[in-house]
Amino acid sequence: MGLEKAIKHGKEHRKPYYGAKAVDQTCRNHGSCPWCMGNRLYHRRKLEQAASDSVKDYLAK
């Protein structure tokens, strides 16, 4: 049964989106909103900061 036909006959039982993801389209899974992007890239930012610190220490010697 197609989606349109299922909706027409009341057979579609998918839950609607709730919460923040329903409000902001960019806040879906792996979204590009600043909050979610910051959470996903936390470890990468820490590693980049450590690498840049070690380069600065090396160049300072």
Side-chain angles (χ1 to χ4, degrees), residues 48-61:
E48 288 175 354
Q49 183 65 34
S52 66
D53 288 345
S54 66
V55 168
K56 286 180 185 177
D57 290 342
Y58 179 77
L59 293 176
K61 291 182 179 181

Side-chain angles (χ1 to χ4, degrees), residues 17 20-33:
Y17 289 113
K21 292 182 181 182
V23 176
D24 188 11
Q25 193 68 14
T26 61
C27 194
R28 298 282 178 178
N29 295 337
H30 307 296
S32 61
C33 73

Side-chain angles (χ1 to χ4, degrees), residues 5-29:
K5 190 175 178 183
I7 293 171
K8 182 179 176 184
H9 293 285
K11 302 292 184 180
E12 183 63 29
H13 299 291
R14 297 182 192 182
K15 292 182 180 180
Y17 289 113
Y18 292 108
K21 292 182 181 182
V23 176
D24 188 11
Q25 193 68 14
T26 61
C27 194
R28 298 282 178 178
N29 295 337

